Amino acid sequence: MMPNFEYVRPTTVAEVLTRLAAGGARLHAGGSDLLGCLREGILVPSSVVSLSGVAELRGIGELAGGELRIGATTTLTEIASHPLVRQRYPGLAQAALLVASPQLRNQGTLGGNLCQKPRCWYYRGSFQCARKGGDTCYAYAGENQYHCLFGGETCYYVHPSDLAPALVALEATAHILGRGGRRVVPLEQFFLLPGQDFQHETVLEHDEILAEVVLPAPRPGAAGVYRKVRERGCWDFALVGVAVWLARSAGVVEQVRIVLTGVAATPWRARAAERLLLGRKLDAALAARAGVAASEGAHPLAHNAYKVPMLRGLVEEALRSLA
Amino acid sequence: MAKKNERDTKRCHGGVTRRGFLASVGASTVGAVVASRAAAAPAQQRESLEGMVPCTLKINGRHHSLLVEPRWSLLYVLREELGLTGTKQGCERGECGACTVLVDGVARYACLTLALEVQGHAVTTVEGLVVDGQLSAVQQAFVAEDAFQCGYCTPGQVMAAEALLRANPAPSDEEIREGMSGNLCRCGAYDHIVKAVRRAAAARRAGGAR
């Protein structure tokens, strides 16, 4: 059984921040990742601060300018089934529906999904790896079939979230609350590559909380999709996932984001593929070329080169579905 | 099959059950162990009591007030503190679904849920589906379709099916497979499980069945 801890369930964000500032605390939203980390000894907090009593952190609502606000403790099921999400941001609804299992979607939250700890089996196992303060990454020369193609440095895990790429594709912003007030960060900059900081996954300070994510108002002519390949047809993390969001005028691509998951420690923008699409009409041939461009800069490890053709095919397939 | 199960259920309600017998024998042994441990390490015992907090849970319509350690999962409290052993412990990491229960009618893994988190919510376990000795439509359908072999995953499968049908009374086969995708069956009774869910859905829609 995991070590014991003090459990508190505040009702306001201000109380939560006070608890975090005191140190040694970990946030509990859905609990599905936290309890795993506690059992595996990845996290050993002296107190667990439950967010389930903080009503202001939960729910989905339209803002005055047409943006959509999603509270951090909104569940994945609520996101996947919300009429405004399904209608205006179908790629996000698809991504939420492809996370894990119905039970975990009922429990898992937006904030928890974005802030989950790495799933690398060395990190989760009893290896004192670099990310845990040791001096080596065991995956680099070890069993690295589920590890990264891009941005690896000191640590080679992949961000496992399906929501993160869908939200980055939509140009979402993360709203962070701390004792100094609110700061807004483009979600793309919310995640940290190991080269930036190999022991923290996000820009959150220990006394800050991700309060909500805000999506820009939908643009006319915009379309989005999320695709994911996994080893099982259900309940599995993405080997590779891709979120595409694009806006067209008279068939010509004016804006586009192609964001991969399962290939880097952060959601990974396929910028070369994006550049290829801009100013052109999307057809099957262009989709295939964009697939190849999306793999530019990939550095496979010993056992994960299969992800390169996989991501090419997945990007091509996602783009063809929007052509 | 259905008749045999009915007989067994009645016998269990009337007399001594295998589980009850084992539990009572186990309790006296455990009592002796606890007593000797308390004598050997009184400080340790006190420390763990100090770490306990009051907790009120509503399970299958009944209120339970007890002391829990904050780290105790709902699964642990159900099985070890309340004797509700219908909910099974499998992987304890949210991968197998054996511990599936309903919280406010929605399926959730009890192994990844702190007991303290469900205070103020209604928990339903597989025991709660039986009313006056009568199995629910889902349970009856699992029996009728032979939707298990060893049966260990069955309480979790039944609860997942119950949640699915409450949210979607007429699921397609694809929706059934998706709705049941959080539950593993090592015996591989999946086709029968899908048939059972289909049968339960029809029985509930026809009315009369719970």
Side-chain angles (χ1 to χ4, degrees), chain A residues 2 7 50 103 105 107, chain B residues 71 107 111-112 117 178 183:
Chain A
M2 62 187 98
Y7 170 91
S50 169
Q103 288 93 327
R105 292 194 294 272
Q107 168 167 6
Chain B
R71 62 176 164 174
C111 74
L112 287 185
E117 272 290 300
E178 170 54 38
N183 294 69

Side-chain angles (χ1 to χ4, degrees), chain B residues 1-202:
Chain B
M1 197 67 183
K3 273 193 183 141
K4 177 182 172 292
N5 190 289
E6 226 168 79
R7 273 202 315 276
D8 286 352
T9 309
K10 275 183 188 150
R11 192 165 68 232
C12 290
H13 280 267
V16 178
T17 64
R18 189 177 66 97
R19 167 107 46 210
F21 175 74
L22 288 175
S24 66
V25 171
S28 57
T29 322
V30 170
V33 172
V34 168
S36 65
R37 264 200 209 146
Q44 223 172 347
Q45 182 99 349
R46 198 163 54 241
E47 193 179 57
S48 74
L49 275 174
E50 275 168 13
M52 295 179 99
V53 293
C55 176
T56 302
L57 300 175
K58 187 181 177 193
I59 296 162
N60 301 330
R62 238 184 97 184
H63 288 275
H64 300 263
S65 292
L66 64 162
L67 286 173
V68 303
E69 291 185 20
R71 62 176 164 174
W72 285 356
S73 67
L74 175 61
L75 174 64
Y76 179 87
V77 169
L78 288 173
R79 291 183 56 85
E80 308 299 330
E81 295 295 306
L82 301 175
L84 292 167
T85 51
T87 307
K88 298 302 181 217
Q89 178 183 330
C91 67
E92 273 218 285
R93 47 190 293 154
E95 289 177 2
C96 77
C99 67
T100 301
V101 298
L102 307 188
V103 176
D104 296 335
V106 173
R108 197 176 157 126
Y109 297 139
C111 74
L112 287 185
T113 303
L114 292 177
L116 287 170
E117 272 290 300
V118 295
Q119 292 190 100
H121 300 277
V123 178
T124 308
T125 69
V126 71
E127 289 92 343
L129 297 186
V130 179
V131 175
D132 297 329
Q134 191 71 31
L135 297 179
S136 71
V138 171
Q139 290 171 307
Q140 288 181 34
F142 268 68
V143 174
E145 293 291 349
D146 206 8
F148 44 79
Q149 288 180 44
C150 82
Y152 193 82
C153 73
T154 310
Q157 302 277 3
V158 164
M159 298 315 286
E162 181 73 25
L164 169 65
L165 297 182
R166 287 189 190 187
N168 180 0
S172 65
D173 278 7
E174 199 185 318
E175 286 168 333
I176 291 174
R177 287 185 185 278
E178 170 54 38
M180 302 299 290
S181 65
N183 294 69
L184 293 178
C185 169
R186 285 292 298 273
C187 305
Y190 294 110
D191 281 348
H192 290 223
I193 290 170
V194 171
K195 281 183 194 164
V197 179
R198 210 187 287 147
R199 175 188 279 259

